PDB file of all heavy atoms in Angstrom:
ATOM      1  N   MET T   1       0.814  -1.176   0.000  1.00 80.00           N
ATOM      2  CA  MET T   1       0.000   0.000   0.000  1.00 80.00           C
ATOM      3  C   MET T   1       0.871   1.259   0.000  1.00 80.00           C
ATOM      4  O   MET T   1       0.561   2.214  -0.681  1.00 80.00           O
ATOM      5  CB  MET T   1      -0.906  -0.054   1.229  1.00 80.00           C
ATOM      6  CG  MET T   1      -1.842   1.081   1.340  1.00 80.00           C
ATOM      7  SD  MET T   1      -3.085   0.862   0.100  1.00 80.00           S
ATOM      8  CE  MET T   1      -4.227   2.026   0.613  1.00 80.00           C
ATOM      9  N   THR T   2       1.931   1.218   0.769  1.00 86.00           N
ATOM     10  CA  THR T   2       2.829   2.345   0.844  1.00 86.00           C
ATOM     11  C   THR T   2       3.490   2.579  -0.506  1.00 86.00           C
ATOM     12  O   THR T   2       3.653   3.729  -0.938  1.00 86.00           O
ATOM     13  CB  THR T   2       3.909   2.104   1.922  1.00 86.00           C
ATOM     14  OG1 THR T   2       3.268   1.712   3.115  1.00 86.00           O
ATOM     15  CG2 THR T   2       4.723   3.349   2.172  1.00 86.00           C
ATOM     16  N   ARG T   3       3.865   1.491  -1.173  1.00 87.00           N
ATOM     17  CA  ARG T   3       4.501   1.614  -2.483  1.00 87.00           C
ATOM     18  C   ARG T   3       3.524   2.231  -3.500  1.00 87.00           C
ATOM     19  O   ARG T   3       3.930   3.037  -4.323  1.00 87.00           O
ATOM     20  CB  ARG T   3       4.959   0.250  -2.988  1.00 87.00           C
ATOM     21  CG  ARG T   3       6.123  -0.269  -2.229  1.00 87.00           C
ATOM     22  CD  ARG T   3       6.567  -1.571  -2.793  1.00 87.00           C
ATOM     23  NE  ARG T   3       7.601  -2.119  -1.983  1.00 87.00           N
ATOM     24  CZ  ARG T   3       8.157  -3.280  -2.176  1.00 87.00           C
ATOM     25  NH1 ARG T   3       7.748  -4.040  -3.173  1.00 87.00           N
ATOM     26  NH2 ARG T   3       9.105  -3.693  -1.402  1.00 87.00           N
ATOM     27  N   LEU T   4       2.265   1.852  -3.424  1.00 82.00           N
ATOM     28  CA  LEU T   4       1.261   2.404  -4.326  1.00 82.00           C
ATOM     29  C   LEU T   4       1.100   3.908  -4.088  1.00 82.00           C
ATOM     30  O   LEU T   4       1.029   4.694  -5.035  1.00 82.00           O
ATOM     31  CB  LEU T   4      -0.084   1.695  -4.128  1.00 82.00           C
ATOM     32  CG  LEU T   4      -1.243   2.203  -4.989  1.00 82.00           C
ATOM     33  CD1 LEU T   4      -0.960   1.977  -6.467  1.00 82.00           C
ATOM     34  CD2 LEU T   4      -2.529   1.539  -4.579  1.00 82.00           C
ATOM     35  N   PHE T   5       1.068   4.294  -2.837  1.00 79.00           N
ATOM     36  CA  PHE T   5       0.937   5.710  -2.500  1.00 79.00           C
ATOM     37  C   PHE T   5       2.143   6.498  -2.992  1.00 79.00           C
ATOM     38  O   PHE T   5       1.995   7.575  -3.578  1.00 79.00           O
ATOM     39  CB  PHE T   5       0.777   5.857  -0.972  1.00 79.00           C
ATOM     40  CG  PHE T   5       0.673   7.289  -0.558  1.00 79.00           C
ATOM     41  CD1 PHE T   5      -0.464   8.038  -0.827  1.00 79.00           C
ATOM     42  CD2 PHE T   5       1.734   7.924   0.098  1.00 79.00           C
ATOM     43  CE1 PHE T   5      -0.555   9.363  -0.448  1.00 79.00           C
ATOM     44  CE2 PHE T   5       1.649   9.243   0.481  1.00 79.00           C
ATOM     45  CZ  PHE T   5       0.495   9.964   0.210  1.00 79.00           C
ATOM     46  N   VAL T   6       3.351   5.992  -2.817  1.00 83.00           N
ATOM     47  CA  VAL T   6       4.569   6.667  -3.264  1.00 83.00           C
ATOM     48  C   VAL T   6       4.577   6.759  -4.788  1.00 83.00           C
ATOM     49  O   VAL T   6       4.928   7.789  -5.374  1.00 83.00           O
ATOM     50  CB  VAL T   6       5.820   5.943  -2.726  1.00 83.00           C
ATOM     51  CG1 VAL T   6       7.102   6.486  -3.357  1.00 83.00           C
ATOM     52  CG2 VAL T   6       5.887   6.038  -1.214  1.00 83.00           C
ATOM     53  N   PHE T   7       4.156   5.675  -5.446  1.00 83.00           N
ATOM     54  CA  PHE T   7       4.128   5.661  -6.906  1.00 83.00           C
ATOM     55  C   PHE T   7       3.144   6.708  -7.446  1.00 83.00           C
ATOM     56  O   PHE T   7       3.472   7.459  -8.364  1.00 83.00           O
ATOM     57  CB  PHE T   7       3.744   4.254  -7.396  1.00 83.00           C
ATOM     58  CG  PHE T   7       3.570   4.177  -8.882  1.00 83.00           C
ATOM     59  CD1 PHE T   7       4.668   4.219  -9.740  1.00 83.00           C
ATOM     60  CD2 PHE T   7       2.307   4.087  -9.443  1.00 83.00           C
ATOM     61  CE1 PHE T   7       4.496   4.167 -11.094  1.00 83.00           C
ATOM     62  CE2 PHE T   7       2.137   4.035 -10.805  1.00 83.00           C
ATOM     63  CZ  PHE T   7       3.236   4.068 -11.644  1.00 83.00           C
ATOM     64  N   LEU T   8       1.919   6.777  -6.878  1.00 78.00           N
ATOM     65  CA  LEU T   8       0.930   7.758  -7.326  1.00 78.00           C
ATOM     66  C   LEU T   8       1.399   9.191  -7.064  1.00 78.00           C
ATOM     67  O   LEU T   8       1.192  10.079  -7.892  1.00 78.00           O
ATOM     68  CB  LEU T   8      -0.424   7.514  -6.638  1.00 78.00           C
ATOM     69  CG  LEU T   8      -1.202   6.291  -7.128  1.00 78.00           C
ATOM     70  CD1 LEU T   8      -2.462   6.116  -6.294  1.00 78.00           C
ATOM     71  CD2 LEU T   8      -1.548   6.416  -8.586  1.00 78.00           C
ATOM     72  N   ALA T   9       2.023   9.408  -5.918  1.00 79.00           N
ATOM     73  CA  ALA T   9       2.533  10.736  -5.601  1.00 79.00           C
ATOM     74  C   ALA T   9       3.616  11.141  -6.600  1.00 79.00           C
ATOM     75  O   ALA T   9       3.663  12.289  -7.059  1.00 79.00           O
ATOM     76  CB  ALA T   9       3.078  10.779  -4.180  1.00 79.00           C
ATOM     77  N   ALA T  10       4.492  10.218  -6.972  1.00 77.00           N
ATOM     78  CA  ALA T  10       5.557  10.516  -7.924  1.00 77.00           C
ATOM     79  C   ALA T  10       4.972  10.822  -9.307  1.00 77.00           C
ATOM     80  O   ALA T  10       5.421  11.744  -9.999  1.00 77.00           O
ATOM     81  CB  ALA T  10       6.539   9.348  -8.006  1.00 77.00           C
ATOM     82  N   VAL T  11       3.963  10.052  -9.720  1.00 72.00           N
ATOM     83  CA  VAL T  11       3.346  10.276 -11.032  1.00 72.00           C
ATOM     84  C   VAL T  11       2.650  11.633 -11.066  1.00 72.00           C
ATOM     85  O   VAL T  11       2.787  12.394 -12.029  1.00 72.00           O
ATOM     86  CB  VAL T  11       2.359   9.127 -11.360  1.00 72.00           C
ATOM     87  CG1 VAL T  11       1.504   9.464 -12.573  1.00 72.00           C
ATOM     88  CG2 VAL T  11       3.116   7.828 -11.594  1.00 72.00           C
ATOM     89  N   LEU T  12       1.890  11.961 -10.029  1.00 72.00           N
ATOM     90  CA  LEU T  12       1.195  13.245  -9.985  1.00 72.00           C
ATOM     91  C   LEU T  12       2.174  14.412  -9.939  1.00 72.00           C
ATOM     92  O   LEU T  12       1.973  15.432 -10.587  1.00 72.00           O
ATOM     93  CB  LEU T  12       0.239  13.289  -8.796  1.00 72.00           C
ATOM     94  CG  LEU T  12      -0.990  12.392  -8.910  1.00 72.00           C
ATOM     95  CD1 LEU T  12      -1.776  12.432  -7.609  1.00 72.00           C
ATOM     96  CD2 LEU T  12      -1.863  12.800 -10.070  1.00 72.00           C
ATOM     97  N   TRP T  13       3.255  14.246  -9.179  1.00 68.00           N
ATOM     98  CA  TRP T  13       4.247  15.312  -9.089  1.00 68.00           C
ATOM     99  C   TRP T  13       4.954  15.510 -10.425  1.00 68.00           C
ATOM    100  O   TRP T  13       5.170  16.627 -10.877  1.00 68.00           O
ATOM    101  CB  TRP T  13       5.247  14.989  -7.981  1.00 68.00           C
ATOM    102  CG  TRP T  13       6.257  16.075  -7.780  1.00 68.00           C
ATOM    103  CD1 TRP T  13       6.037  17.306  -7.291  1.00 68.00           C
ATOM    104  CD2 TRP T  13       7.635  16.005  -8.092  1.00 68.00           C
ATOM    105  NE1 TRP T  13       7.185  18.032  -7.261  1.00 68.00           N
ATOM    106  CE2 TRP T  13       8.199  17.232  -7.748  1.00 68.00           C
ATOM    107  CE3 TRP T  13       8.462  15.008  -8.607  1.00 68.00           C
ATOM    108  CZ2 TRP T  13       9.539  17.508  -7.931  1.00 68.00           C
ATOM    109  CZ3 TRP T  13       9.797  15.286  -8.772  1.00 68.00           C
ATOM    110  CH2 TRP T  13      10.325  16.540  -8.441  1.00 68.00           C
ATOM    111  N   ALA T  14       5.269  14.434 -11.108  1.00 65.00           N
ATOM    112  CA  ALA T  14       5.929  14.528 -12.415  1.00 65.00           C
ATOM    113  C   ALA T  14       4.990  15.169 -13.431  1.00 65.00           C
ATOM    114  O   ALA T  14       5.406  15.999 -14.253  1.00 65.00           O
ATOM    115  CB  ALA T  14       6.369  13.142 -12.889  1.00 65.00           C
ATOM    116  N   GLY T  15       3.707  14.791 -13.396  1.00 58.00           N
ATOM    117  CA  GLY T  15       2.725  15.393 -14.317  1.00 58.00           C
ATOM    118  C   GLY T  15       2.550  16.870 -14.054  1.00 58.00           C
ATOM    119  O   GLY T  15       2.443  17.670 -14.984  1.00 58.00           O
TER     120      GLY T  15
END
Side-chain angles (χ1 to χ4, degrees):
M1 182 72 168
T2 310
R3 289 182 185 177
L4 178 63
F5 179 72
V6 171
F7 175 73
L8 287 176
V11 169
L12 290 175
W13 183 68

